[in-house]
Amino acid sequence: MASDFPYSIKNKLLPCRGIMGREEYFQSAVLIPLLKRDSQWELLFQIRAAEIRQGDEICFPGGGFDPVLDRDFLDTALRETGEELGIDRGKIDIIGPMDTLITPMDVLVEPFLAVLKIQSLEELVPNPAEVASVFTLPLDKLKTIPRENYQVRTEMHAFSIDSDTGEENLHFPGSSLGLPERYHRSWGNKMHNILVYPTEYGAIWGITARIVKDFITLLDE
């Protein structure tokens, strides 16, 4: 160990703080697409195809980071938007990133605000394998939608029961590790907020609703 430790590791520290354990999360990025129609700004959403994971739900275009295809998370957002909506990158004007979102389900989301340089939704070619439909909501209208707030309980479970055999599967050996008894079974009782915006197209909720809420807050600052 260097004689000037811990000051010798200063050059290893990032100038900006990152996220510890980032590699343990499912890392993803989404685009928050704005477009101007009839002299008003609108936010574009898509409804997932029924056959895919989280089918029939409302979301922003985006998906998982691919270390082979993507240089960074902005690349992810642009690539996924192109694949899902059939829009060329040249028609997407990036405004900038918003805050990183980390969910209780170990999903990390990097959102990027952007303007779609299109005159009509007809210019988009949604991929039917991923997108059932697209719609827009004017920002002025979105601000007036009464936001609903619900809470669900999250717990840490040291074991689970196999649904086929009924056997107990131990995931965390709190007892054999000599930890206090409260960690031998399950622990924690945190209430997690789930936001919902009811719309005529369905409920905007979860990750998408959280991003919408922060975006609206940003507009009002």
Side-chain angles (χ1 to χ4, degrees):
M1 187 174 296
S3 59
D4 60 345
F5 181 84
Y7 300 101
S8 59
I9 64 173
K10 183 177 181 179
N11 62 343
K12 296 182 180 180
L13 300 178
L14 297 175
C16 297
R17 289 178 297 175
I19 297 172
M20 191 175 294
R22 175 187 277 273
E23 70 282 354
E24 297 178 9
Y25 294 91
F26 175 76
Q27 303 186 62
S28 63
V30 299
L31 201 73
I32 307 170
L34 285 163
L35 67 156
K36 198 170 189 179
R37 297 202 304 168
D38 300 326
S39 301
Q40 65 179 345
W41 286 99
E42 302 186 354
L43 203 55
L44 182 139
F45 299 88
Q46 60 188 36
I47 300 178
R48 295 176 185 267
E51 299 78 15
I52 66 174
R53 185 174 62 88
Q54 295 179 301
D56 294 323
E57 295 187 25
I58 296 172
C59 65
F60 290 121
F65 174 79
D66 188 322
V68 176
L69 300 176
D70 305 327
R71 294 171 299 177
D72 51 30
F73 287 104
L74 177 56
D75 259 4
T76 303
L78 290 170
R79 174 180 56 79
E80 289 283 351
T81 300
E83 293 174 1
E84 295 172 5
L85 297 182
I87 184 172
D88 185 83
R89 290 194 181 197
K91 292 186 176 182
I92 302 175
D93 189 12
I94 298 297
I95 298 175
M98 290 183 61
D99 287 341
T100 300
L101 172 64
I102 299 178
T103 78
M105 303 302 291
D106 288 343
V107 175
L108 184 152
V109 186
E110 301 285 2
F112 293 89
L113 188 63
V115 172
L116 302 187
K117 296 186 290 186
I118 59 175
Q119 302 301 314
S120 166
L121 295 182
E122 300 301 319
E123 295 182 46
L124 302 177
V125 187
N127 179 356
E130 298 190 63
V131 180
S133 61
V134 299
F135 66 91
T136 63
L137 289 173
L139 294 184
D140 289 343
K141 180 178 181 179
L142 196 55
K143 289 180 179 181
T144 65
I145 297 176
R147 185 178 70 243
E148 299 174 4
N149 187 50
Y150 300 91
Q151 291 190 320
V152 294
R153 190 176 70 179
T154 56
E155 291 183 337
M156 307 290 286
H157 290 273
F159 70 96
S160 62
I161 304 298
D162 190 297
S163 58
D164 295 324
T165 66
E167 296 180 354
E168 181 178 299
N169 297 316
L170 184 64
H171 306 300
F172 183 72
S175 177
S176 61
L177 290 173
L179 298 179
E181 187 175 350
R182 62 180 173 273
Y183 301 117
H184 297 182
R185 308 298 287 178
S186 63
W187 69 90
N189 188 17
K190 179 176 174 56
M191 301 305 292
H192 172 66
N193 291 328
I194 295 182
L195 305 180
V196 178
Y197 289 89
T199 78
E200 63 264 42
Y201 302 97
I204 298 174
W205 76 289
I207 290 174
T208 306
R210 170 57 64 181
I211 295 173
V212 168
K213 185 257 185 186
D214 276 28
F215 177 57
I216 291 175
T217 300
L218 183 67
L219 294 179
D220 292 337
E221 289 180 351

